[in-house]
Amino acid sequence: MQIYFFTAGTESDELKELESRIRSTVPSLRKLANLDAVIGARGQDGASVNHDQIYIIVPVLTGTSFDRMANIAAQEHRGIFFIFISSEISASDYKRLVRSGGADWVSIQGAPQEILDFISRIGRSEVRPSHAEQVRPAIVAFVPSAGGVGNATLAIETAVQVKGAKPTRPRRVCLLDLDLRASHICDYLDIEPRFNIEEIVQNPDRLDAQLFDLFVSRHSASGIDVLAVPRNRRASVELDMAALDALFRFISQQYDLVIINLPPAWFDWTDQILAVSDLAIVTGLNNVPGLHQIAETLKEVKSAARVPPQIVVALNRCESGLVGGIARRRHVSRALGNQTAVYIREDAAAANHSLNTGIPISITSRSSRIAKDVRALAALVSELKARAVQAGSSHKT
């Protein structure tokens, strides 16, 4: 594998700083003065035994023409991929890049980690498992007992902790938000929602690897990928099984852990999501109405056609005493019996700081009560493993 840094002959302090940052993570980075030195040589060497993958990193800053570089990237260059870097990119330019099949874009803020993620994705796509070795990702469903109980927050924090822990850091984590009208996960993470569900519902067969990649929002601070739609409370599009099957087919190819944020409302496809889940986490509040709502939701989950192998309750925003004891534990036992419950203590300061900065609590406030308590959920999720799917067996939703 060869990685080059190409600036089209332009030099500036900004470029030098960017090159230094990338080189700190990619020591083998080479400075490229002329594209022909690589493209021409690869063209002449097409039948050579040297099939090393080549990545050319192109900062789109002052003095670099995006159009010219994008046109070059759109041409057929066997084994050469272009990685464009800029502070931002328009949706049309991004679509143009990924649909070329030979290029992608990362943000200046996300470099160099997003560059490494891109190279990793390309490497995975080059080696597809055989039918006998197909792998089904571990799936976790966060099921809210009511609106406003912090379901999305707990899903985010759990995903971030699993991805951030050293033993599970190599895992490819996808956070899938199926709240199609009131989605706000991307607001919490300060990233742009890119998932256009209408395109899949109207024509599931249209979904291919490039379009799927276009739908993914990447959170560089944590390393998790997010599939979430732009918020639209008037949206009339409804998921169906054909769209879900198409979506999960591509998710299974890219990730080995999928964390799903379900909406409070129950749809026809909710049972199908639960049927393929390895763990269901029912979220709610530790008060009398909240416990009643949790009990009702548990009943629904356990009446599904296929009950998830593990079911856990996450009680959010719990009141605690000076020494950390959780209030109203007896109420929980009476309402939920011997159901396994995880208590997440209230920490308004840490939560508000996260909301205002767009950075998860588990990154900005690791010693907060919320981050500490979410570790119990992350530990449960970390134990789940992707499973092999035998040839001929179904792993659809």
Side-chain angles (χ1 to χ4, degrees):
M1 180 173 64
Q2 303 169 49
I3 305 176
Y4 295 94
F5 188 78
F6 176 67
T7 61
T10 303
E11 296 292 339
S12 68
D13 291 341
E14 186 179 15
L15 285 172
K16 291 178 181 177
E17 190 275 334
L18 177 60
E19 180 185 356
S20 177
R21 268 203 294 143
I22 297 173
R23 194 178 296 279
S24 67
T25 304
V26 187
S28 60
L29 184 71
R30 306 182 197 177
K31 191 74 169 285
L32 183 63
N34 190 332
L35 279 179
D36 290 338
V38 171
I39 294 176
R42 175 52 63 102
Q44 298 170 4
D45 194 37
S48 167
V49 295
N50 180 14
H51 294 298
D52 282 354
Q53 211 71 58
I54 293 178
Y55 302 93
I56 301 178
I57 301 170
V58 183
V60 186
L61 306 173
T62 303
T64 303
S65 168
F66 174 83
D67 282 338
R68 184 175 75 87
M69 294 306 304
N71 287 335
I72 293 173
Q75 299 170 16
E76 177 63 30
H77 301 303
R78 186 176 178 83
I80 298 179
F81 292 87
F82 291 84
I83 305 174
F84 290 83
I85 304 180
S86 64
S87 57
E88 59 184 18
I89 189 172
S90 69
S92 60
D93 283 342
Y94 185 77
K95 184 178 292 188
R96 178 180 169 191
L97 284 182
V98 297
R99 288 187 172 173
S100 73
D104 206 330
W105 171 84
V106 302
S107 67
I108 287 180
Q109 296 80 4
Q113 185 57 48
E114 288 188 8
I115 294 173
L116 297 178
D117 290 344
F118 169 77
I119 292 173
S120 175
R121 290 200 310 278
I122 291 295
R124 290 199 303 271
S125 66
E126 293 298 312
V127 182
R128 294 294 185 191
S130 68
H131 291 298
E133 297 172 333
Q134 287 182 3
V135 175
R136 170 200 179 284
I139 299 176
V140 180
F142 275 77
V143 188
S145 58
V149 299
N151 193 72
T153 298
L154 294 181
I156 291 170
E157 297 298 332
T158 301
V160 169
Q161 290 206 18
V162 170
K163 184 63 179 174
K166 189 173 182 179
T168 51
R169 193 167 298 155
R171 300 191 72 171
R172 298 163 295 163
V173 180
C174 175
L175 180 55
L176 172 61
D177 189 1
L178 290 181
D179 192 345
L180 303 183
R181 289 186 176 85
S183 174
H184 52 268
I185 276 182
C186 286
D187 290 337
Y188 286 4
L189 295 173
D190 195 24
I191 55 179
E192 178 190 358
R194 294 179 176 270
F195 187 20
N196 186 346
I197 190 67
E198 292 185 28
E199 292 197 35
I200 302 179
V201 172
Q202 292 171 0
N203 185 6
D205 293 336
R206 186 173 182 273
L207 185 62
D208 57 20
Q210 292 178 4
L211 185 59
F212 179 84
D213 195 60
L214 186 64
F215 287 159
V216 175
S217 302
R218 296 185 172 85
H219 188 249
S220 58
S222 65
I224 63 175
D225 284 356
V226 179
L227 280 167
V229 300
R231 184 168 47 256
N232 181 3
R233 298 187 185 276
R234 297 181 182 272
S236 59
V237 175
E238 297 290 352
L239 270 176
D240 55 28
M241 292 312 303
L244 276 174
D245 283 344
L247 178 61
F248 271 81
R249 183 169 63 252
F250 281 93
I251 287 176
S252 296
Q253 294 172 5
Q254 299 290 334
Y255 304 99
D256 49 27
L257 173 62
V258 183
I259 295 178
I260 303 174
N261 174 54
L262 289 172
W266 212 271
F267 295 91
D268 292 340
W269 47 262
T270 304
D271 280 354
Q272 301 299 324
I273 296 294
L274 293 174
V276 298
S277 296
D278 302 286
L279 168 64
I281 299 176
V282 178
T283 59
L285 304 179
N286 186 9
N287 52 44
V288 173
L291 292 172
H292 287 165
Q293 292 165 344
I294 291 171
E296 291 170 0
T297 305
L298 282 170
K299 185 177 179 180
E300 290 291 335
V301 171
K302 293 177 180 179
S303 67
R306 178 187 177 276
V307 180
Q310 286 184 269
I311 301 174
V312 173
V313 169
L315 292 159
N316 198 21
R317 304 182 196 133
C318 292
E319 298 176 29
S320 59
L322 293 175
V323 293
I326 302 295
R328 294 184 293 279
R329 277 183 178 266
R330 291 182 182 177
H331 292 79
V332 175
S333 297
R334 283 199 295 268
L336 306 181
N338 59 359
Q339 174 65 54
T340 302
V342 174
Y343 296 87
I344 313 296
R345 290 169 293 173
E346 176 74 277
D347 193 335
N352 287 331
H353 180 67
S354 172
L355 291 173
N356 290 327
T357 59
I359 304 174
I361 300 166
S362 298
I363 294 177
T364 60
S365 308
R366 296 181 183 180
S367 61
S368 70
R369 284 171 290 187
I370 295 173
K372 289 179 179 178
D373 295 343
V374 167
R375 287 172 195 160
L377 295 178
L380 289 171
V381 173
S382 296
E383 292 174 358
L384 303 175
K385 304 298 181 185
R387 300 199 303 267
V389 177
Q390 297 298 322
S393 67
S394 173
H395 62 279
K396 292 183 178 181
T397 51

